[in-house]
Amino acid sequence: MENFNQLLALRNKIENTLNYQLSLSNLELYHSNLFAVVLERSECINHKFFSDVVDINKKYTNLKVFREKNKIDLTIEVIDEDSKNHVIFIENKVKSLPDENQLIRYSEKNSSAKGKLLSLVEPGFELPKSWFRRSYGELIEYYSDLLKKVDETFRLFLIDYIDYMKNVEKFIEKISYGELYFLEDSNNKVLEGMRLRSVIEKIHYANLQNKIADLGYKTYSDRIRGEHHFGIDLPIEGTTSSFDIQIQGNQYRHKVNFSIEDKERLGDLERICDIIKEKTCLFNFNLENNPILEKSSSRKKWKAYYKKDFYDYAHIRKDVSCKKLIDYIKEDVKKIEENLNIVKDIILEN
């Protein structure tokens, strides 16, 4: 009850700030635009916030900030006291999650530029060369140090923003999922109707994705039809199709992703799934005495996305911890690996 009351108090503080209300239309764009305004008004990059991308002991002039240049959130251009040009990319991740390939693509646009990833959570990968992460806590510290460098009206606005983001960080830390896969009921109640819910769920699923990233396969976390999910994609060698373990809400899915080429050749994909289930461990959840999964409600046998990605699922038990779920996925991957050659033969021979 104490934690519930603390969360409600933090929610009220967040929602009563002007910056929270102004950011409702586009959370990520709002934070980036404000960062650009702060830079343009203060012209200050001589701060430890930028210490890994420029020499903060030098003087800088002709600071320019570009929004969405080459699809990058912010691009800073500045000239140092030795007449050397510096380009700094800012990639802002508030409601979305860091993407390694995205950062690499940005660096390819200008190999001499340095990048700053601004995010609420640690990325689940090693940052590419010339990229450095800063947290929103560090951004708040930077803004706090600039309060004396801006006019009174803007200073009051920044103070409001600082309070807003401090409380957001506290809120996210307190409402984190902890050891359990599912949120506690009291936390769910606090999040009802709150815009931050999506951000918190994204962070949760991204953290789970990171815990299976060492298995050597493509992993992902995303949102579809209003719900977040994460998973791992195993290629079916010799075909252009693949097999997923995908977790969304309380569903633990086995899913075959038939390529368009295989779909056109095979025709009846439900029949192929029936054969795969009969001859392999795929789609077989072994629910007897299973501490992680339980039987789902009756339904049509095969569910599908886009008439080519077919899946079946069991339900995840309510009290399952994140660790036990991840361990279960890793064991499941080993079993599936042993059966993928049989799946390949089924696809190629039918």
Side-chain angles (χ1 to χ4, degrees):
M1 178 61 75
E2 181 182 357
N3 190 59
F4 176 75
N5 290 334
Q6 289 174 345
L7 284 167
L8 277 181
L10 282 170
R11 174 173 176 167
N12 289 334
K13 287 180 180 179
I14 290 167
E15 293 183 338
N16 284 331
T17 60
L18 175 62
N19 276 274
Y20 174 79
Q21 300 300 326
L22 292 174
S23 69
L24 289 176
S25 61
N26 192 318
L27 190 62
E28 208 149 86
L29 183 62
Y30 179 81
H31 289 276
S32 295
N33 282 339
L34 178 59
F35 195 3
V37 172
V38 169
L39 286 165
E40 289 166 342
R41 291 197 176 202
S42 68
E43 296 189 342
C44 177
I45 62 170
N46 299 87
H47 189 277
K48 62 183 178 181
F49 184 87
F50 292 100
S51 61
D52 38 21
V53 292
V54 294
D55 182 349
I56 62 174
N57 295 311
K58 288 186 174 183
K59 293 181 179 179
Y60 294 90
T61 58
N62 201 31
L63 186 146
K64 298 176 182 176
V65 185
F66 301 92
R67 297 162 174 82
E68 295 296 332
K69 183 178 181 180
N70 293 322
K71 297 184 178 180
I72 300 169
D73 288 342
L74 297 177
T75 301
I76 304 168
E77 294 181 5
V78 70
I79 301 172
D80 68 20
E81 60 190 33
D82 300 318
S83 301
K84 181 181 177 181
N85 291 305
H86 297 265
V87 178
I88 305 164
F89 295 150
I90 304 290
E91 181 59 22
N92 186 16
K93 296 294 182 184
V94 181
K95 67 175 183 178
S96 55
L97 300 161
D99 182 331
E100 182 178 10
N101 291 327
Q102 184 183 42
L103 302 184
I104 292 171
R105 289 197 303 273
Y106 290 167
S107 291
E108 290 171 349
K109 296 175 186 292
N110 185 337
S111 59
S112 64
K114 292 187 177 180
K116 183 75 71 177
L117 172 66
L118 182 60
S119 64
L120 280 170
V121 294
E122 289 273 2
F125 54 87
E126 186 175 342
L127 291 180
K129 185 179 178 181
S130 79
W131 278 88
F132 306 88
R133 178 184 176 259
R134 287 285 191 243
S135 68
Y136 263 81
E138 290 169 302
L139 180 69
I140 290 168
E141 187 178 344
Y142 170 54
Y143 284 0
S144 297
D145 291 341
L146 293 179
L147 291 177
K148 293 180 180 179
K149 298 179 181 291
V150 296
D151 62 69
E152 179 66 11
T153 302
F154 194 58
R155 187 180 73 83
L156 293 173
F157 187 79
L158 275 186
I159 290 172
D160 181 86
Y161 180 86
I162 290 165
D163 289 342
Y164 163 45
M165 288 309 298
K166 278 183 178 178
N167 287 318
V168 165
E169 287 200 316
K170 289 178 185 176
F171 187 88
I172 289 174
E173 183 180 349
K174 273 191 169 295
I175 206 165
S176 65
Y177 282 68
E179 294 183 359
L180 294 178
Y181 169 67
F182 293 107
L183 264 181
E184 294 179 7
D185 290 340
S186 60
N187 287 353
N188 261 322
K189 189 173 181 180
V190 174
L191 284 171
E192 283 179 6
M194 193 177 187
R195 189 181 178 88
L196 279 176
R197 182 187 193 98
S198 178
V199 175
I200 290 163
E201 288 179 349
K202 275 188 177 183
I203 291 170
H204 178 54
Y205 280 92
N207 286 336
L208 291 170
Q209 176 198 350
N210 292 340
K211 293 180 187 299
I212 57 173
D214 61 348
L215 294 178
Y217 297 103
K218 176 186 173 184
T219 60
Y220 58 87
S221 59
D222 208 339
R223 187 177 183 183
I224 188 168
R225 297 174 185 172
E227 289 193 55
H228 294 279
H229 61 266
F230 78 102
I232 184 166
D233 183 75
L234 290 76
I236 303 171
E237 300 295 339
T239 78
T240 49
S241 299
S242 64
F243 185 84
D244 273 16
I245 298 172
Q246 185 182 86
I247 289 84
Q248 180 170 320
N250 67 347
Q251 294 184 9
Y252 185 98
R253 300 171 178 169
H254 278 183
K255 179 161 71 79
V256 177
N257 310 304
F258 291 103
S259 66
I260 294 175
E261 175 189 351
D262 285 339
K263 176 187 175 184
E264 291 177 351
R265 183 175 56 81
L266 292 167
D268 187 354
L269 298 182
E270 290 196 7
R271 180 180 67 87
I272 300 300
C273 288
D274 286 334
I275 297 172
I276 291 172
K277 183 171 183 176
E278 179 186 348
K279 294 188 176 182
T280 74
C281 71
L282 280 63
F283 303 119
N284 291 290
F285 298 106
N286 300 318
L287 299 178
E288 187 175 352
N289 298 320
N290 190 318
I292 307 299
L293 305 179
E294 60 187 2
K295 186 177 180 180
S296 58
S297 57
S298 300
R299 62 189 180 281
K300 181 182 176 183
K301 188 172 183 182
W302 297 108
K303 304 280 283 183
Y305 289 136
Y306 317 116
K307 298 182 180 180
K308 66 181 184 66
D309 298 345
F310 283 74
Y311 68 92
D312 196 5
Y313 64 87
H315 279 162
I316 301 169
R317 293 183 181 273
K318 185 69 176 174
D319 59 350
V320 168
S321 70
C322 290
K323 183 181 184 307
K324 287 183 178 179
L325 178 60
I326 294 301
D327 289 344
Y328 188 87
I329 292 170
K330 290 182 177 181
E331 287 301 313
D332 207 13
V333 167
K334 291 178 184 177
K335 294 175 185 176
I336 291 165
E337 286 173 330
E338 295 172 357
N339 285 257
L340 284 179
N341 277 332
I342 301 174
V343 177
K344 176 192 74 174
D345 292 340
I346 293 169
I347 291 176
L348 294 179
E349 293 171 7
N350 279 273

